[in-house]
């Protein structure tokens, strides 16, 4: 099975990125042919500073490797190392109605928030569809917020195949990640843009401080508490062992435990998961040329798949590129 997913390099990665996407990606590498890329073309819709974008792109690669992505099992590459995706995005734009893009929730949400949309933001789903279709991906693991984009990808593949009368592009399926919503410290979905994120690789002290500031209700220490409405417990559930989760649930229900104690237990579990990754990360930061080599090699493999699909795409629609 060929699996593909992308993650934008638009800032420091947080627990929501890890639990909602990267963790599943890393688990999938054992049994599948995986293509995971750093969506730097997409990030350019929000990050418009050359140094910041370059640094963020490398940082995402380092984070993936530190968290356990094995470059011998999965292809980890830069989106921009396969520039043909922008060509495919253009070709898809010629068979896709403007109305489809106008119905995109994520675009509408951003406009509703007062963002003045660029064409890049508007055509974001076309490039995302190209990312997926150019590798004839079978399965795309994403969070719930991206499901509509995958449906649009299937629509676009169908428009192309119908228009040119050949089954050139493969319709991908969605794989919904288990951790549907990871709450931030204020209880809303964790997101860089909401300012409520717990970053993956801040210094441990800062991370602990951040966890201690998770919003909880004002139930007094002695009283029993509801684990199922608590933000601390919601994150704990995603990171601790089943036994630990059961034990903490008991403590909530019994009363006599303050939220401070639950937060401290959460901070311990977070450090247990991220501590070893932080150490690997430091080594990778000191060895940037190794990371670069990983990206380059995987980018070449990805590009060679992309080029063979593009040959079929161009042939189907009559675009000629002369040999240079
Ligand atoms: N839009 C995705 C996100 O913000 C990132 C992305 C870009 C992506 N291209 C993709 C995800 C292709 C899956 C497949 O999370």
């Amino acid at each position: 099975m060929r699996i593909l997913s992308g993650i934008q390099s638009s800032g420091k990665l947080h627990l929501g990125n890890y639990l909602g996407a990267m963790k599943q990606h890393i688990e999938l590498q054992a049994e599948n042919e995986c293509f995971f890329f750093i969506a730097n073309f997409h990030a350019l819709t929000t990050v418009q500073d050359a140094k910041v974008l370059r640094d963020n792109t490398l940082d995402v690669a380092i984070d993936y490797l530190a968290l356990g992505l094995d470059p011998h099992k999965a292809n980890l590459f830069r989106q921009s190392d396969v520039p043909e995706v922008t060509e495919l995005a253009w070709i898809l734009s010629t068979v896709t109605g403007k109305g489809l893009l106008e119905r995109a929730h994520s675009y509408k949400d951003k406009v509703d928030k007062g963002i003045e949309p660029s064409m890049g933001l508007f055509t974001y789903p076309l490039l995302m569809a190209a990312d997926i279709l150019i590798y004839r991906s079978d399965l795309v693991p994403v969070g719930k917020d991206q499901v509509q984009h995958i449906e649009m990808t299937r629509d676009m593949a169908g428009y192309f195949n119908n228009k040119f009368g050949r089954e050139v592009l493969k319709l991908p399926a969605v794989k919904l990640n288990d951790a549907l919503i990871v709450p931030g410290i204020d209880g809303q979905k964790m997101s860089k843009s909401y300012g409520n994120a717990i970053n993956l690789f801040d210094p441990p002290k800062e991370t602990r401080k951040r966890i201690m500031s998770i919003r909880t209700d004002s139930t007094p220490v002695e009283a029993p508490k509801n684990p199922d409405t608590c933000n601390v417990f919601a994150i704990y559930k995603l990171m601790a062992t089943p036994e630990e989760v059961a034990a903490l649930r008991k403590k909530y229900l019994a009363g006599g435990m303050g939220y401070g104690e639950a937060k401290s237990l959460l901070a311990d579990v977070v450090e247990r998961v991220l501590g070893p990754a932080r150490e690997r990360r430091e080594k990778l930061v000191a060895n940037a040329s190794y990371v670069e080599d990983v990206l380059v090699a995987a980018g070449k493999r990805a590009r060679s798949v992309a080029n063979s699909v593009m040959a079929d795409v161009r042939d189907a629609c009559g675009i000629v590129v002369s040999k240079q």
Side-chain angles (χ1 to χ4, degrees):
M1 179 100 73
R2 184 173 287 166
I3 307 242
L4 170 125
S5 197
I7 192 151
Q8 281 200 62
S9 47
S10 48
K12 280 192 185 171
L13 297 181
H14 52 69
L15 268 183
N17 298 123
Y18 175 61
L19 298 170
M22 300 165 94
K23 187 164 175 253
Q24 281 79 0
H25 297 168
I26 292 164
E27 284 163 6
L28 287 164
Q29 70 187 359
E31 315 232 322
N32 301 278
E33 185 192 9
C34 291
F35 287 89
F36 299 129
F37 66 91
I38 304 157
N40 53 352
F41 280 137
H42 279 113
L44 195 52
T45 61
T46 53
V47 180
Q48 300 187 324
D49 175 310
K51 178 170 168 24
V52 174
L53 185 57
R54 262 195 298 269
D55 289 352
N56 283 353
T57 305
L58 193 63
D59 273 348
V60 174
I62 290 174
D63 288 357
Y64 255 119
L65 294 169
L67 290 164
L69 186 129
D70 179 348
H72 300 292
K73 295 192 179 138
N75 296 296
L76 176 66
F77 62 103
R78 273 183 291 253
Q79 185 181 32
S80 55
D81 274 344
V82 187
E84 288 77 13
V85 288
T86 61
E87 179 187 353
L88 181 56
W90 172 260
I91 292 173
L92 293 173
S93 82
T94 66
V95 293
T96 301
K98 189 160 151 272
L100 184 82
L101 295 177
E102 280 164 349
R103 288 191 290 278
H105 303 311
S106 77
Y107 174 75
K108 286 196 288 188
D109 289 350
K110 286 180 180 141
V111 172
D112 288 348
K113 278 200 192 122
I115 292 173
E116 184 81 50
S118 64
M119 281 309 292
L121 194 65
F122 183 62
T123 60
Y124 186 112
L126 283 165
L127 181 59
M128 184 160 161
D131 288 329
I132 297 168
L133 300 173
I134 207 164
Y135 306 108
R136 293 211 169 100
S137 314
D138 297 302
L139 201 61
V140 187
V142 287
K144 207 172 161 200
D145 58 326
Q146 296 296 317
V147 170
Q148 190 195 25
H149 285 153
I150 313 299
E151 285 162 0
M152 293 166 83
T153 300
R154 294 168 58 89
D155 289 342
M156 292 178 205
Y159 301 149
F160 183 92
N161 292 345
N162 283 338
K163 179 68 78 182
F164 297 107
R166 290 191 211 168
E167 294 299 305
V168 174
L169 298 174
K170 174 163 196 160
L171 275 59
V174 182
K175 181 174 179 0
L176 247 195
N177 288 334
D178 309 332
L180 288 185
I181 294 176
V182 182
I185 61 168
D186 60 356
Q188 285 192 81
K189 177 183 155 70
M190 190 180 291
S191 159
K192 189 176 83 73
S193 56
Y194 297 158
N196 65 358
I198 299 170
N199 291 335
L200 288 175
F201 295 115
D202 281 345
K205 260 198 185 151
E206 222 167 281
T207 302
R208 185 167 281 267
K209 225 168 103 190
R210 196 83 176 136
I211 291 171
M212 295 316 280
S213 72
I214 295 175
R215 187 176 300 163
T216 46
D217 63 27
S218 53
T219 317
V221 174
E222 324 75 68
K225 297 175 181 61
N226 183 354
D228 298 318
T229 54
C230 177
N231 299 323
V232 179
F233 193 79
I235 304 178
Y236 192 78
K237 234 173 33 185
L238 297 169
M239 301 194 77
T241 65
E243 295 75 36
E244 288 170 330
V245 174
L248 186 59
R249 173 178 288 279
K250 249 194 190 156
K251 284 195 169 188
Y252 268 79
L253 298 174
M257 177 197 71
Y259 284 119
E261 189 180 335
K263 290 176 183 177
S264 174
L265 288 171
L266 173 60
D268 293 344
V269 168
V270 168
E271 181 54 24
R272 187 175 75 205
V273 174
L274 295 183
R278 186 182 300 109
E279 279 173 29
R280 285 194 293 271
R281 189 176 198 289
E282 276 156 21
K283 293 199 184 106
L284 290 161
V285 169
N287 197 358
S289 68
Y290 163 77
V291 180
E292 185 61 27
D293 289 349
V294 165
L295 294 176
V296 170
K300 279 190 187 149
R301 288 192 293 273
R303 194 171 189 191
S304 117
V305 174
N307 271 327
S308 84
V309 177
M310 282 312 290
D312 294 347
V313 167
R314 294 183 193 119
D315 186 57
C317 66
I319 288 292
V320 178
V321 178
S322 53
K323 288 223 160 62
Q324 308 263 330

